Amino acid sequence: MHHDITPLCAADIQDQLKKRFAYLSGGRGQDGSPVITFPDYPAFSDVPDKEFQNVMTYLTSIPSLQDAGIGFILVIDRRQDKWTSVKASVLRIAASFPANLQLVLVLRPTGFFQRTLSDIAFKFNRDDFKMKVPVIMLSSVPELHGYIDKSQLTEDLGGTLDYCHNRWLCHRTAIEHFALMVKETAQMLQSFGTELAETELPNDVQSTSSVLCAHTEKKVKAKENMRSALNEGQSILESIREPLVKSPEQSLNQDQLDNQTTVQRLLAQLNETEAAFDEFWAKHQQKLEQCLQLRHFEQDFREVKSTLDVLAQKILTFTDVGNSLAHVEHLLKDLTSFEEKSSVPMERARALSLEGEQLINNKHYAVDSIRPKCHELQHLCDQFAAEVGQRRGLLNKSLELHSLLEASMKWCDEGIYLLASQPVDKCQSQDGAEAALQEIEKFLETGAENKIQELNKIYQDYEPILTQDLMKHVQKVFQKQESMEEMFHRRQASLKKLAARQTRPVQPVAPRPEALTKSPCPSPGIRRGSENNSSEGNALRRGPYRRAKSEMTENRQGRSSSTGDEEESLAILRRHVMNELLDTERVYVEELLCVLEGYAAEMDNPLMAHLISTGLQNKKDVLFGNMEEIYHFHNRIFLRELENYIDCPELVGRCFLERMEEFQIYEKYCQNKPRSESLWRQCSDCPFFQECQKKLDHKLSLDSYLLKPVQRITKYQLLLKEMLKYSKSCEGAEDLQEALSSILGILKAVNDSMHLIAITGYDGNLSDLGRLLMQGSFSVWTDHKKGHTKVKDLARFKPMQRHLFLHEKAVLFCKKREENGEGYEKAPSYSYKHSLNMTAVGITENVKGDAKKFEIWYNAREEVYIIQAPTPEIKAAWVNEIRKVLTSQLQACREASQHRALEQSQSLPLPASSNTSPSKGNTRSIKKLEERKTDPLSLEGYVSPTSLPKPTEKGKASPTSPDKKAKRHEVKSDPTPFGLRGWSKTSHPLEAPEDNDGWSSAEEPINSSDAEEEGGVGPKKLAPGKYTIMVDDEKGGPDMLAVKSGDMVEVVQEGDEGLWYVRNLTSGKEGWVPASSLSTLLSKSSSAQCLSSSESSAGSTLLSNSSSCSESCGTPLSDLQG
């Protein structure tokens, strides 16, 4: 009876097989039938049916299908058993054997009784053994040999078949495990292959690398599994063949051969699977590697293309063709440097293109994606090279043109210098004229290679680079060249006439007086023509000759020619100064650019980041300050404007004046210099600086270049002094003087600001105190009314060392503290102590016993500070500067009160300048006044700066106090008015303390305490300035200027015989007034900006040096004038 049974493995029924109640020895019948042996097993009846069925099913599944199809031969050994057991065993086997049976051979019991019993029982119970196959009862083993050959039987059945049940069981277990391993490996490889085939290729390098690494790891693991399976299969095969190795004459039974065949088949299957997998993996790996190569190529392409795009944008910025030879050389240097820096990305682009071509040659799967990128890279490289070549060609053209222009200008300068250096007296002789003529002709021969030949040819040859400015420059150079050649031709004509003239005796005759008069310097618009006419015209023009050609005329011409030559010499010297100014300016701009590009920009370069020390990171603004702002100002504005004055250098002062505000940027740079220098000392040995210096090929380190702006701002005043020295008679002399003063003022402001930033402990904003006017160190005593008695007494004997800072709105008292260190770190710091508001400050010029002392008092002498200066000169400067501030406050208050009245007065027409004006400078002052009057808010438009009367001699009695002496103080004007915006709207009553020894802007005129120790004051000494007439002129003569009370007049200049030239600003008339009358007229007036001190009562006719204005602008002028 057959049942469908699930296939079993030896490992599953290993314990059941070990009982050995049945085994497959490997023997075969004569027709190849497999033999299953049931050895003598006493407990056979105790074997559970399930185990029996499992063992039978497993044993019948081992032979091949072909052998199993023949049928099995069962050998049942019951020689030691009983008949009852035999019967039960046979019936059980016949009932549950799962396969075909061919023959059942039973070795019956060997005992006599049991054998007899079995014969009888078998005969009588034959029907019970009816099976599909015959059952043969055998009495002995030899009978068995008649059915099965001895070689196919085991030793216990009298055969020679080598069989070990444990070995057989191990082989079966190993083979089945190996077969399972092969199956699982095949399934794993199939699954892995499916995963590889279905994997989508990533779009970036990182993901592709991750996928490739993951797949490679899985592949390695699969290969390890396959290698392990192969090793196990080889081990099983060797174990099966072990008997042959031990005795070669021995042969394997059929089951062993089947096992060997099975293992070999599994090994072959495994090898085939591995080979197929290796082939598949090779293709997959190649695709992944090509994908990774593609992603790398694409990533590199994006980076290179981005870099090339940046380079393409940068090369488009190289549009400037230069405005001078040095500028063009600098641009060429920049272009070369840019080309060198761009060579690395260009080489990388070309290498990447070659790499793409290599991928294509290696049959990359993404040829359609790689080839266009290679072409694009090649195109970008070629396009960039073409752009660089084009820019270089234009700059070379520009260099050629500027070299020609420079050569022409140099030739012209040399020619002018030659004309100026020829002595006029020697040229009067025939030999001297001929020598000078030869010298000129020889010089003109050098013009063939130095001068511009044809202007149109220049335009045609250099059309691609001719900008509007460059064309104007070419025209200027050509005009200069033509003018110089014209000068030479005139000189030639003159010398030819002198050389051709016959020599005759000459009588020395004095020149006419008018020949000595020097004509004023021409205006810049017609300067070139004027120069030619004044120099060459005076030298070569002979004028109308009389018939006798008098010697006087010839000598006058010589003197006129000499004057013209002197002016030419000065013009040449001015041109040399201008050339030095321009050349040094261009070098300065180039050096700044070099520092900004070679150092500052490199601090942001990622490739240089590893060289920057930690202390230097994010400190670019500290190290370089506002150098970039300075560079842009000079490069874009100042240098270009300076070049506009190359033909009229004497007017260059205007350029400085127009840009004076921009020069304030140097103050910011100098204030940052201490921090910059400190940072440099900390990081000077940083490899970054050494690398940058090496690239720039600088002999000096960076700190030398960081000092350039400080050196440059001090260089300007030297050049302006030099230019002023050679331009005193020219139109621009006043502008040069003003520019020089302004530059010196900036230097002073820079110096003051360096001290100002060292102040510590001040809570407010120093900028709110107005402009810093002066600063210096003094000895200070205090004498306060409300101070402690002991402090007051001690203060007079022990001075405090204080550093004072005078601002427009306050004076600060600080304590100077010296610092240890080097360079800027050694600079002192100032610890803030206290400050005084200038609206409540007064001063006393002289302190008894010391000419270097003066007093600053506060709030009606509630606080008094006795100041001792190092020298009387410093004291005088401070006193004058403080009085300027107080005067400005007083004037601002009064101007605010009289604003409407002054607007009406300023609308009256001012007198035009006439020949009767005593001074040329006064005409300029009137012109400036008219210009300023257009601004109704400018106090400078109403009142011009003047000076106070100077101190009188001791011993002269005062009109009001003959027993006492008084001192008058001179207050110099402040060119920048205080203005109206700093005044409070709160009105305060005016106070006049009796013990006021000085004067203040916060009080009205009162008696001066100086008069207690000084003599009286004589008549007031006049000074130029603006005044208000307080009494009518009753003594005016018919030729004198008539004035009346209320008129505003300007005292212009003191003349001869005690007369003063006065201009009446109210009536517009002007004339001479005696000094005595003028002093009386002005005695009761308070000058517009002039204050003087004297001892007076409330009704005094003189203005006290303690005059003041209230903090409020609402106080009437009549109250202020008392």
Side-chain angles (χ1 to χ4, degrees):
M1 186 174 183
H2 301 283
H3 302 280
D4 294 331
I5 300 174
T6 305
L8 296 174
C9 295
D12 298 335
I13 58 173
Q14 187 171 5
D15 294 338
Q16 301 168 21
L17 292 173
K18 283 182 178 180
K19 293 180 179 181
R20 198 171 175 264
F21 60 82
Y23 61 85
L24 189 66
S25 63
R28 292 290 186 271
Q30 295 177 357
D31 55 357
S33 301
V35 176
I36 295 178
T37 303
F38 289 86
D40 187 16
Y41 189 75
F44 183 78
S45 60
D46 297 333
V47 175
D49 292 339
K50 183 64 175 175
E51 291 185 8
F52 179 78
Q53 185 177 357
N54 287 341
V55 172
M56 291 297 104
T57 302
Y58 177 73
L59 293 178
T60 55
S61 65
I62 293 175
S64 63
L65 295 177
Q66 181 180 357
D67 292 344
I70 299 174
F72 287 88
I73 297 176
L74 303 182
V75 177
I76 302 173
D77 184 6
R78 291 294 181 262
R79 287 176 293 176
Q80 304 298 327
D81 208 346
K82 298 178 180 180
W83 167 247
T84 54
S85 297
V86 173
K87 179 181 178 181
S89 297
V90 173
L91 292 176
R92 185 178 186 182
I93 292 171
S96 60
F97 194 76
N100 296 332
L101 285 173
Q102 184 182 16
L103 182 64
V104 178
L105 299 175
V106 181
L107 286 173
R108 57 188 178 179
T110 57
F112 176 77
F113 175 74
Q114 292 296 332
R115 184 175 57 189
T116 303
L117 183 60
S118 63
D119 289 341
I120 297 171
F122 183 74
K123 291 178 182 179
F124 287 100
N125 296 302
R126 187 177 294 274
D127 293 338
D128 294 337
F129 295 100
K130 286 184 179 179
M131 302 173 67
K132 295 181 180 180
V133 293
V135 177
I136 301 174
M137 292 291 180
L138 301 176
S139 299
S140 62
V141 173
E143 290 182 15
L144 178 62
H145 293 167
Y147 293 93
I148 302 174
D149 191 80
K150 291 172 60 176
S151 62
Q152 302 300 318
L153 293 174
T154 59
E155 293 179 356
D156 57 345
L157 294 177
T160 60
L161 181 63
D162 183 20
Y163 173 76
C164 176
H165 187 68
N166 289 334
R167 183 178 63 191
W168 174 86
L169 186 58
C170 289
H171 286 175
R172 290 306 306 170
T173 304
I175 291 172
E176 290 174 359
H177 181 267
F178 177 57
L180 181 62
M181 182 183 291
V182 171
K183 179 180 179 181
E184 291 176 351
T185 301
Q187 291 175 350
M188 181 269 295
L189 293 178
Q190 184 177 2
S191 175
F192 184 39
T194 304
E195 179 185 350
L196 297 183
E198 294 177 353
T199 300
E200 294 185 2
L201 297 178
N203 293 324
D204 60 279
V205 173
Q206 185 64 34
S207 299
T208 306
S209 299
S210 300
V211 169
L212 182 58
C213 290
H215 287 186
T216 302
E217 289 179 2
K218 289 185 179 181
K219 174 254 181 183
V220 171
K221 188 175 181 180
K223 291 286 289 184
E224 289 177 355
N225 292 336
M226 283 189 289
R227 187 56 52 193
S228 176
L230 287 171
N231 292 337
E232 185 171 349
Q234 290 293 341
S235 177
I236 295 172
L237 192 60
E238 291 175 0
S239 178
I240 293 173
R241 293 177 177 176
E242 184 178 357
L244 297 178
V245 175
K246 292 181 178 180
S247 61
E249 66 278 359
Q250 189 176 354
S251 61
L252 301 177
N253 59 43
Q254 189 60 43
D255 282 350
Q256 291 174 333
L257 291 175
D258 289 344
N259 289 342
Q260 177 179 319
T261 303
T262 300
V263 173
Q264 290 176 342
R265 175 174 54 80
L266 291 174
L267 286 173
Q269 180 181 346
L270 195 58
N271 286 327
E272 291 177 2
T273 304
E274 182 181 17
F277 175 75
D278 288 342
E279 182 180 357
F280 175 78
W281 169 254
K283 294 179 180 179
H284 181 73
Q285 184 182 26
Q286 181 184 13
K287 191 169 185 179
L288 280 179
E289 289 177 348
Q290 287 185 348
C291 178
L292 185 61
Q293 293 172 349
L294 177 63
R295 300 302 176 238
H296 275 297
F297 178 79
E298 291 174 343
Q299 178 176 317
D300 293 343
F301 172 78
R302 287 192 295 268
E303 293 176 358
V304 170
K305 186 176 184 303
S306 176
T307 305
L308 294 181
D309 290 341
V310 172
L311 293 177
Q313 291 296 324
K314 285 186 178 180
I315 193 62
L316 293 178
T317 61
F318 282 79
T319 56
D320 197 354
V321 294
N323 49 27
S324 65
L325 184 61
H327 190 198
V328 177
E329 290 175 347
H330 178 71
L331 290 175
L332 275 171
K333 184 178 178 182
D334 287 347
L335 182 62
T336 302
S337 175
F338 173 71
E339 190 175 10
E340 290 176 355
K341 291 180 180 179
S342 62
S343 62
V344 175
M346 295 302 295
E347 290 176 0
R348 185 184 177 193
R350 292 191 174 92
L352 186 60
S353 178
L354 293 176
E355 182 181 337
E357 294 293 339
Q358 187 67 32
L359 291 178
I360 294 174
N361 294 334
N362 291 338
K363 298 181 180 180
H364 196 282
Y365 71 88
V367 173
D368 294 339
S369 175
I370 297 174
R371 182 172 283 116
K373 290 181 175 60
C374 293
H375 293 166
E376 185 174 359
L377 287 175
Q378 193 63 40
H379 173 70
L380 290 175
C381 291
D382 296 341
Q383 186 178 7
F384 177 79
E387 283 289 338
V388 172
Q390 181 182 0
R391 302 296 174 187
R392 186 177 297 280
L394 292 177
L395 288 177
N396 286 331
K397 273 283 186 182
S398 179
L399 182 67
E400 183 180 336
L401 176 59
H402 281 288
S403 299
L404 179 60
L405 296 177
E406 288 281 344
S408 177
M409 292 178 66
K410 184 178 179 182
W411 184 67
C412 292
D413 290 340
E414 291 176 353
I416 295 173
Y417 184 78
L418 174 62
L419 293 179
S421 62
Q422 287 184 340
V424 179
D425 52 348
K426 292 184 179 180
C427 293
Q428 301 299 320
S429 65
Q430 186 175 4
D431 293 340
E434 290 178 352
L437 191 61
Q438 291 178 0
E439 192 176 20
I440 289 176
E441 290 175 349
K442 183 178 180 181
F443 177 79
L444 288 176
E445 291 176 357
T446 63
E449 55 187 14
N450 292 322
K451 69 177 185 178
I452 301 175
Q453 301 294 340
E454 297 181 17
L455 196 59
N456 291 333
K457 192 173 185 303
I458 294 292
Y459 291 159
Q460 181 179 356
D461 292 345
Y462 300 100
E463 181 182 2
I465 62 168
L466 280 179
T467 61
Q468 195 71 23
D469 293 339
L470 188 54
M471 189 174 294
K472 290 181 180 178
H473 183 50
V474 172
Q475 292 172 353
K476 285 183 180 180
V477 174
F478 189 72
Q479 291 173 2
K480 178 179 179 181
Q481 177 182 296
E482 286 186 330
S483 300
M484 194 275 295
E485 289 179 332
E486 183 180 356
M487 292 170 63
F488 266 82
H489 293 154
R490 289 181 181 178
R491 179 67 65 87
Q492 275 184 312
S494 174
L495 291 175
K496 285 180 180 178
K497 291 180 180 179
L498 290 173
R501 187 180 63 187
Q502 294 187 4
T503 307
R504 55 178 182 164
V506 179
Q507 298 285 334
V509 180
R512 293 176 61 184
E514 57 270 20
L516 298 175
T517 304
K518 184 188 299 182
S519 60
C521 185
S523 63
I526 57 174
R527 189 184 187 290
R528 184 170 297 281
S530 302
E531 282 185 358
N532 295 338
N533 293 335
S534 62
S535 59
E536 295 303 318
N538 291 334
L540 303 178
R541 223 175 26 243
R542 304 206 176 230
Y545 286 97
R546 297 182 181 181
R547 183 174 299 176
K549 294 184 179 178
S550 67
E551 303 299 334
M552 182 182 295
T553 304
E554 294 177 3
N555 284 336
R556 185 167 63 250
Q557 289 175 354
R559 179 62 59 90
S560 177
S561 175
S562 177
T563 303
D565 289 342
E566 181 182 357
E567 178 59 30
E568 281 186 10
S569 299
L570 289 175
I572 291 172
L573 293 172
R574 289 195 295 270
R575 192 178 302 280
H576 283 315
V577 176
M578 189 67 193
N579 288 339
E580 182 182 359
L581 174 60
L582 278 173
D583 291 342
T584 54
E585 184 73 12
R586 291 175 183 132
V587 172
Y588 174 55
V589 169
E590 183 176 352
E591 287 176 339
L592 290 183
L593 179 62
C594 197
V595 171
L596 291 173
E597 289 187 346
Y599 287 97
E602 289 297 310
M603 290 186 72
D604 298 327
N605 186 355
L607 300 178
M608 300 285 284
H610 66 285
L611 298 177
I612 300 177
S613 61
T614 306
L616 192 61
Q617 291 177 355
N618 302 321
K619 296 290 182 64
K620 184 171 74 171
D621 293 339
V622 176
L623 185 62
F624 298 97
N626 62 331
M627 180 182 283
E628 186 173 358
E629 182 183 6
I630 294 174
Y631 165 72
H632 288 314
F633 163 64
H634 284 272
N635 182 52
R636 299 174 180 175
I637 301 174
F638 193 62
L639 176 58
R640 298 184 181 183
E641 292 184 358
L642 280 179
E643 291 172 342
N644 294 333
Y645 290 88
I646 191 170
D647 292 327
C648 46
E650 66 278 359
L651 302 180
V652 76
R654 298 177 183 176
C655 182
F656 282 88
L657 291 176
E658 290 172 357
R659 296 298 173 185
M660 200 54 64
E661 287 188 10
E662 280 87 339
F663 278 104
Q664 302 296 330
I665 57 180
Y666 279 90
E667 186 172 340
K668 180 179 178 182
Y669 185 85
C670 293
Q671 288 177 353
N672 180 70
K673 196 69 176 67
R675 298 173 62 206
S676 173
E677 190 166 292
S678 176
L679 180 62
W680 166 255
R681 280 196 301 273
Q682 296 173 16
C683 307
S684 58
D685 56 349
C686 179
F688 169 78
F689 295 122
Q690 300 170 6
E691 182 66 20
C692 291
Q693 183 177 350
K694 182 179 178 182
K695 287 184 178 180
L696 295 171
D697 196 20
H698 282 178
K699 295 181 180 179
L700 300 177
S701 55
L702 174 61
D703 59 326
S704 301
Y705 291 92
L706 294 177
L707 198 60
K708 293 292 183 181
V710 181
Q711 295 172 337
R712 187 58 184 171
I713 191 65
T714 56
K715 176 73 173 177
Y716 287 129
Q717 54 106 1
L718 299 176
L719 293 171
L720 286 172
K721 284 180 181 177
E722 198 73 11
M723 184 65 78
L724 182 61
K725 178 180 176 182
Y726 304 130
S727 309
K728 292 182 178 179
S729 62
C730 296
E731 180 183 355
E734 293 184 7
D735 291 332
L736 285 170
Q737 182 62 56
E738 189 175 350
L740 176 59
S741 300
S742 300
I743 286 291
L744 292 174
I746 288 178
L747 291 176
K748 178 182 178 298
V750 168
N751 181 58
D752 290 345
S753 68
M754 298 298 289
H755 291 272
L756 197 62
I757 62 176
I759 295 177
T760 60
Y762 184 74
D763 293 335
N765 190 348
L766 290 173
S767 61
D768 295 338
L769 303 181
R771 188 163 51 92
L772 177 63
L773 304 175
M774 300 190 77
Q775 52 85 22
S777 296
F778 300 89
S779 297
V780 179
W781 291 263
T782 59
D783 187 6
H784 301 343
K785 286 183 178 181
K786 297 181 180 180
H788 195 276
T789 304
K790 292 184 178 179
V791 175
K792 177 180 179 181
D793 294 340
L794 290 174
R796 293 188 175 276
F797 297 100
K798 187 178 180 181
M800 298 177 291
Q801 299 302 317
R802 292 289 182 262
H803 200 91
L804 272 60
F805 292 87
L806 177 62
H807 291 261
E808 291 175 322
K809 298 182 182 179
V811 57
L812 270 62
F813 289 76
C814 300
K815 186 173 182 180
K816 185 176 181 180
R817 302 184 186 277
E818 295 292 343
E819 302 291 342
N820 297 324
E822 299 179 358
Y824 283 101
E825 289 185 355
K826 197 175 181 180
S829 63
Y830 304 98
S831 178
Y832 169 77
K833 294 301 181 181
H834 65 279
S835 60
L836 304 178
N837 194 327
M838 291 302 293
T839 58
V841 163
I843 62 169
T844 302
E845 177 181 359
N846 287 330
V847 175
K848 183 178 180 180
D850 196 335
K852 295 184 290 184
K853 290 182 179 179
F854 64 97
E855 285 184 352
I856 296 180
W857 40 267
Y858 192 67
N859 282 345
R861 301 187 66 83
E862 183 177 307
E863 301 177 16
V864 178
Y865 300 89
I866 302 172
I867 314 296
Q868 184 182 45
T871 64
E873 291 77 11
I874 295 178
K875 166 199 165 181
W878 271 76
V879 169
N880 288 338
E881 199 64 41
I882 294 174
R883 300 174 92 181
K884 284 182 186 179
V885 176
L886 301 181
T887 304
S888 298
Q889 295 177 354
L890 175 63
Q891 184 62 30
C893 184
R894 288 179 175 174
E895 290 296 339
S897 301
Q898 294 179 316
H899 187 63
R900 185 173 302 171
L902 291 178
E903 281 185 345
Q904 295 175 357
S905 66
Q906 74 172 0
S907 63
L908 297 175
L910 294 176
S913 60
S914 63
N915 295 332
T916 61
S917 176
S919 168
K920 179 180 178 181
N922 291 333
T923 306
R924 179 178 177 86
S925 300
I926 294 173
K927 181 178 180 181
K928 287 187 176 181
L929 181 62
E930 291 173 349
E931 293 174 352
R932 290 170 180 164
K933 286 176 68 175
T934 60
D935 184 3
L937 297 179
S938 173
L939 288 174
E940 200 171 2
Y942 305 140
V943 182
S944 65
T946 57
S947 300
L948 285 175
K950 297 180 181 178
T952 59
E953 298 179 0
K954 293 185 179 180
K956 294 185 180 180
S958 168
T960 59
S961 181
D963 297 334
K964 298 181 179 180
K965 298 179 182 180
K967 184 88 173 172
R968 297 176 185 240
H969 309 297
E970 178 181 357
V971 179
K972 296 183 180 179
S973 63
D974 185 358
T976 306
F978 185 79
L980 298 175
R981 55 189 175 183
W983 293 86
S984 170
K985 295 183 179 179
T986 306
S987 176
H988 300 280
L990 300 178
E991 298 179 359
E994 296 177 357
D995 57 347
N996 189 354
D997 291 346
W999 66 274
S1000 146
S1001 65
E1003 300 171 0
E1004 276 302 288
I1006 61 173
N1007 295 343
S1008 170
S1009 65
D1010 290 343
E1012 297 177 0
E1013 301 172 1
E1014 301 286 340
V1017 182
K1020 190 169 53 172
K1021 184 175 180 180
L1022 294 173
K1026 294 182 181 178
Y1027 299 84
T1028 302
I1029 302 298
M1030 301 304 297
V1031 297
D1032 292 337
D1033 183 12
E1034 299 175 353
K1035 300 179 181 180
D1039 298 332
M1040 301 302 173
L1041 176 67
V1043 294
K1044 56 185 178 179
S1045 177
D1047 288 352
M1048 179 174 286
V1049 298
E1050 179 182 5
V1051 178
V1052 180
Q1053 184 179 7
E1054 184 178 7
D1056 298 331
E1057 299 178 358
L1059 296 178
W1060 280 80
Y1061 191 82
V1062 178
R1063 181 178 297 112
N1064 191 331
L1065 299 179
T1066 304
S1067 64
K1069 298 180 180 180
E1070 52 190 33
W1072 295 95
V1073 178
S1076 58
S1077 300
L1078 187 60
S1079 178
T1080 303
L1081 294 172
L1082 303 179
S1083 64
K1084 293 184 180 181
S1085 70
S1086 53
S1087 148
Q1089 272 192 334
C1090 296
L1091 304 177
S1092 64
S1093 67
S1094 69
E1095 180 183 4
S1096 63
S1097 61
S1100 174
T1101 60
L1102 295 179
L1103 179 65
S1104 168
N1105 68 342
S1106 298
S1107 62
S1108 67
C1109 71
S1110 170
E1111 292 180 10
S1112 169
C1113 292
T1115 306
L1117 182 62
S1118 59
D1119 292 343
L1120 291 172
Q1121 292 176 344

